[in-house]
Amino acid sequence: MSEKRENWGSKLGLILAMAGNAIGLGNFWRYPYQAAKNGGGAFMIPYFAALILLGIPLMLVEWNQGRYGGKYGHGTLGPMVYLQAREGANPKVARILGGLAGALALGVTVLLNSYYNHIIGWTLGYAFETATGGYMDKAINTGEYFVKYIQSPGKVMVFWLIALAVLGFAVMRGIQKGIEAWAKFMMPTIYVFGIILIIRTLTLGAPVKPEWTPIAGLNYIWSPRWQDLNWTAALAAAGQIFFTLSLGMGIIQNYASYLKPEDDIVLSGLATVSLNELAEVILGGTIAIPIAYTFLGPEGLGAGVGLSFIALPNIFRQMAGGQIFGTFWFLLLFFAGFTSAIAMYNYLVALLEEEAGVPRRVGAVLVFIIYIIFGLPVGLEPILTKTADLAYLTELDNWVGSYLLVVLGLLEVIVTGWLLGLKGLEEMNKGSFWKVSKTFYNVFIQFLTPVSIIILLGFSTRDYFKAGYFKWIPSFVEKTPQLVPWVLAARFVMFAVLIIGFIQAYRNIGKKYGQEIYEGR
Ligand code: PHE
Ligand code: NA
């Protein structure tokens, strides 16, 4: 066992930090446009199915892996997965599984966060733009304004660096004084801003057309439309569950590794899910969508990614008090993104600390540099190519932010459910207020969850083929040849990080547990 690891200071702090981890841009920025794009009401059915089949079981699995690994002094996925896998598999096989898990988690924490940090920077920048009236002049086209924003180094790079520096500063202070303290301030603020925005939304009336009311907007997303139900909507819903609950990323495990061995995980894991879903379907769903519907009607919801940065700014300047509410909206996005990014940041600092002996303060600076290097292409692409396609970001998001999460989720549930087996059930229930029943464990964690993930992965792979993501030059950049090098660069970086991640985790497991691997246990 390694030197003393830090623990969470209080139950409330832990829950707020975990909620902060899960509640992110996924809730307020990604969810509304996913729901809108996939037919609103048609989205909610697979969404709740995925929550039950994948979200809740995987959340329990990840809390359990994290607390288990923490007992042995680990906050990263490689050794955590090894320790559970060796209970049911040959240690050499367990070591390979640990290597794969470590690689995928490194891929996510380095690469997903490298572009997520940029989006956080945009939210901070847009909070500033809104507060200072940057786009309030109605002659300005908010679409062009956004393009100009991401093409202007003086704006995009500066806010990105500020966001990164604050993150680094927070992580440097450790679990209790850093992560927990920031979550205690930011999470309640998110709910307060969210409630203020909901009240404003629901009192908008019908400023444009009598049938475009906020309530009609809510109806649009809440009335199930069975006829629109299809695989695309189901895949999007399952992907959203992974993303929004921070599953298949390694960061729930990292936070859970700072639990004490007898700390509850069942109730706390469920609390995390509930708080996230409240923030997603209630706050996320009752702000952006009804506002857009009220001003733009059902067509306006098709705005996709532009919903938060293009459609809403255009609306804020038309509505009474819009400048204040708009500032609240972007600050809310910033806080939500910040408390998620901090988890990824901490994963890498823990990796350096525990596996390379780098002290936390130094680690926090190194990770800052890593994020600058890996985030640079994301920011430079629009500036240098004068485009706004964000091809580098899109390529990373398609693979690391959507596909690989599911792969890692599958590996995790197989390791706990099948290799650790029933010991995993015993482990989960240790110190827990509510007990997971054996039936739930057998039916969900050992059967339905892995099987649904396999099906999900199968259909996703087919969709990726059809969408041309597997081609050397993926279809989405075929018409913009100047972006092809950016996509190829993204692929190169992805491969490099995954390979380095595998070697690193594999060697580290060998270093710590080599004896039992070679001599048997
Ligand atoms: N659960 C987070 C969200 O909803 C996902 C995430 C976590 C993304 C950490 C990036 C970094 O936004
Ligand atoms: Na979320």
Side-chain angles (χ1 to χ4, degrees):
M1 221 176 262
S2 67
E3 344 59 85
K4 256 200 9 247
R5 294 180 92 240
E6 240 195 296
N7 289 118
W8 296 102
S10 66
K11 187 103 190 169
L12 178 71
L14 157 73
I15 298 289
L16 289 178
M18 278 285 196
N21 180 332
I23 299 173
L25 298 174
N27 300 51
F28 300 100
W29 168 74
R30 198 176 188 277
Y31 169 82
Y33 82 76
Q34 289 290 340
K37 194 170 79 187
N38 292 291
F43 185 73
M44 298 315 285
I45 300 157
Y47 180 84
F48 281 109
L51 177 65
I52 290 169
L53 280 173
L54 310 170
I56 292 173
L58 261 182
M59 184 61 82
L60 295 173
V61 164
E62 296 202 348
W63 275 71
N64 160 46
Q65 285 175 348
R67 190 183 64 178
Y68 195 81
K71 262 198 310 212
Y72 295 84
H74 300 298
T76 61
L77 240 59
M80 276 177 191
V81 161
Y82 168 78
L83 287 171
Q84 294 206 340
R86 71 176 184 186
E87 297 296 322
N90 177 307
K92 293 200 176 78
V93 175
R95 186 183 180 188
I96 293 174
L97 294 175
L100 288 174
L104 290 166
L106 187 77
V108 173
T109 48
V110 170
L111 300 171
L112 198 166
N113 215 20
S114 73
Y115 65 80
Y116 197 86
N117 286 333
H118 268 285
I119 308 177
I120 295 173
W122 302 349
T123 62
L124 187 61
Y126 259 70
F128 179 81
E129 298 281 316
T130 312
T132 57
Y135 54 80
M136 286 298 148
D137 179 350
K138 296 220 177 73
I140 294 172
N141 173 315
T142 51
E144 285 163 14
Y145 195 84
F146 179 65
V147 171
K148 250 193 237 135
Y149 177 89
I150 59 172
Q151 290 177 350
S152 123
K155 285 182 177 174
V156 80
M157 292 300 199
V158 168
F159 285 109
W160 171 57
L161 287 174
I162 296 175
L164 259 181
V166 185
L167 274 173
F169 171 76
V171 173
M172 199 177 258
R173 311 252 304 152
I175 302 303
Q176 294 189 9
K177 292 205 188 100
I179 296 176
E180 210 172 317
W182 285 79
K184 277 187 184 157
F185 158 65
M186 285 184 168
M187 296 316 291
T189 313
I190 289 179
Y191 280 95
V192 172
F193 282 6
I195 289 166
I196 295 176
L197 285 163
I198 287 187
I199 295 173
R200 175 71 272 230
T201 306
L202 296 180
T203 52
L204 281 172
V208 183
K209 274 195 192 170
E211 68 272 25
W212 292 357
T213 63
I215 301 298
L218 283 179
N219 242 332
Y220 174 82
I221 111 157
W222 280 106
S223 13
R225 285 199 298 278
W226 301 93
Q227 70 280 14
D228 287 349
L229 205 55
N230 55 32
W231 273 108
T232 316
L235 286 183
Q240 176 62 18
I241 284 295
F242 265 90
F243 192 94
T244 191
L245 291 172
S246 300
L247 298 171
M249 302 183 178
I251 55 181
I252 296 289
Q253 288 97 327
N254 176 259
Y255 273 18
S257 76
Y258 301 103
L259 290 169
K260 298 186 192 95
E262 296 294 321
D263 279 346
D264 180 284
I265 57 181
V266 178
L267 191 56
S268 310
L270 291 177
T272 310
V273 173
S274 315
L275 286 170
N276 183 72
E277 291 315 305
L278 191 69
E280 181 142 302
V281 296
I282 306 297
L283 301 186
T286 313
I287 302 169
I289 292 182
I291 294 188
Y293 194 97
T294 306
F295 283 86
L296 308 167
E299 308 304 62
L301 297 178
V305 192
L307 191 60
S308 293
F309 292 96
I310 299 172
L312 289 183
N314 183 31
I315 292 169
F316 289 140
R317 60 186 184 190
Q318 301 173 40
M319 73 192 216
Q323 205 169 341
I324 296 170
F325 293 110
T327 307
F328 281 180
W329 167 251
F330 285 112
L331 279 180
L332 177 151
L333 288 183
F334 174 68
F335 290 167
F338 187 92
T339 47
S340 294
I342 204 172
M344 299 246 169
Y345 203 120
N346 189 66
Y347 183 95
L348 296 177
V349 172
L351 182 99
L352 289 169
E353 210 177 5
E354 290 157 11
E355 300 179 21
V358 179
R360 177 166 280 270
R361 300 188 141 267
V362 182
V365 176
L366 287 179
V367 174
F368 180 79
I369 298 171
I370 291 174
Y371 281 139
I372 301 241
I373 295 173
F374 284 90
L376 213 49
V378 178
L380 284 180
E381 180 195 313
I383 298 172
L384 296 180
T385 61
K386 294 278 163 230
T387 56
D389 297 53
L390 299 161
Y392 186 94
L393 186 158
T394 306
E395 178 68 5
L396 288 184
D397 189 48
N398 284 343
W399 291 104
V400 183
S402 315
Y403 193 87
L404 294 185
L405 308 182
V406 183
V407 177
L408 182 54
L410 179 61
L411 200 140
E412 289 171 356
V413 74
I414 286 179
V415 165
T416 297
W418 296 353
L419 299 180
L420 186 60
L422 278 181
K423 268 194 220 161
L425 173 63
E426 207 183 297
E427 188 57 38
M428 252 173 222
N429 284 335
K430 231 175 247 169
S432 74
F433 174 74
W434 282 347
K435 305 288 176 206
V436 173
S437 73
K438 185 152 179 287
T439 316
F440 179 86
Y441 196 83
N442 287 152
V443 173
F444 280 83
I445 292 177
Q446 296 190 305
F447 181 67
L448 285 178
T449 307
V451 169
S452 338
I453 302 182
I454 290 170
I455 295 174
L456 174 63
L457 212 48
F459 279 99
S460 299
T461 309
R462 193 197 63 169
D463 268 17
Y464 270 42
F465 259 110
K466 279 208 269 183
Y469 292 161
F470 277 98
K471 290 200 287 196
W472 265 112
I473 298 185
S475 309
F476 70 96
V477 284
E478 263 166 2
K479 293 202 185 72
T480 36
Q482 75 269 38
L483 293 180
V484 170
W486 295 88
V487 171
L488 298 181
R491 292 188 174 179
F492 173 79
V493 171
M494 265 181 321
F495 275 111
V497 172
L498 289 174
I499 289 168
I500 293 172
F502 181 82
I503 297 173
Q504 187 277 330
Y506 186 82
R507 288 185 50 185
N508 182 258
I509 295 165
K511 212 165 71 195
K512 297 244 161 76
Y513 301 100
Q515 198 142 357
E516 65 183 43
I517 294 173
Y518 295 113
E519 291 165 11
R521 297 172 67 214

